[in-house]
Amino acid sequence: MKLYLATSNRHKIDELRQMLADAGLDASVETPDVLGGMPEVVEDAGTFSGNALKKARALATRIEGDALALADDSGICIDAFDGAPGVYSARYAGEEATDEANLAKLIREMEPIPDGSRGGRFVCHLAVVSAQGEERVFEGVIEGEILRERRGAGGFGYDPVFLPLGRKRTTAEMSAAEKAEISHRGKATRAFLAWLQSGRADAVNGTVAPIKP
Ligand code: IMP
């Protein structure tokens, strides 16, 4: 079976390949390149699942047979900011903002937030659309606290200030495998793999399905 992942992010492709191998699933991971590229999608749905579904549906128009189109949307939600930046995490410091600029803005904006009120979470919604139009969205969440200063050089984005609940190291201080075990993306992907392994039964933990934004 072929899985087409709507991303050019090598980290996400490698992570999915590794998790498929670990689960003993016979599926290959392809990028949109082999389908002539990723169709243009405006991520304006306003929800993680809405944006993920938009991307997966667009890619699914180019697949056939038993292939599946996959797309995720993720971000960081800060309690003190009523869940912001949320779906706007990639654009927090502006439309073309770098990860570095977004992280610097988060550290700055959270300066006045007292210890004990610095909770937040990473959220990932992974949308799966078949060539026949079957749709599912899988969710993964990791709770944590936002540190005042960066720690660690691994990961990406907001990882250097994200301390998962009950952990002593930020997600930037963890190895990729260690982070995937507890991360929002890891959890959403494992829920998807459980659904695949169960023969696509509906009642699977972590399934947020079906969602029609
Ligand atoms: P995307 O879903 O890959 O486009 O990510 C959306 C935004 O959320 C980006 O700005 C990322 O930096 C941030 N983000 C998503 N997942 C993570 C993560 O695992 N660590 C740190 N930042 C993340």
Side-chain angles (χ1 to χ4, degrees), residues 48 74-77 83-93 97-99 102 158:
F48 291 116
S74 57
I76 193 164
C77 302
V87 288
Y88 302 105
S89 296
R91 293 166 267 172
Y92 189 42
T98 59
D99 273 11
N102 289 330
Y158 301 99

Side-chain angles (χ1 to χ4, degrees), residues 7 9 11-12 15 43 48 55 72-76 85-92 97-99 102-103 122-125 142 155-160 162 171-172 179 183-185:
T7 189
N9 184 330
H11 170 83
K12 289 187 183 179
E15 191 174 274
E43 295 185 43
F48 291 116
K55 291 183 275 188
D72 77 354
D73 198 45
S74 57
I76 193 164
V87 288
Y88 302 105
S89 296
R91 293 166 267 172
Y92 189 42
T98 59
D99 273 11
N102 289 330
L103 174 61
F122 280 126
V123 177
C124 173
H125 284 186
I142 177 173
F156 66 103
Y158 301 99
D159 280 331
F162 190 80
T171 40
K179 180 184 162 188
S183 78
H184 49 316
R185 196 168 300 101

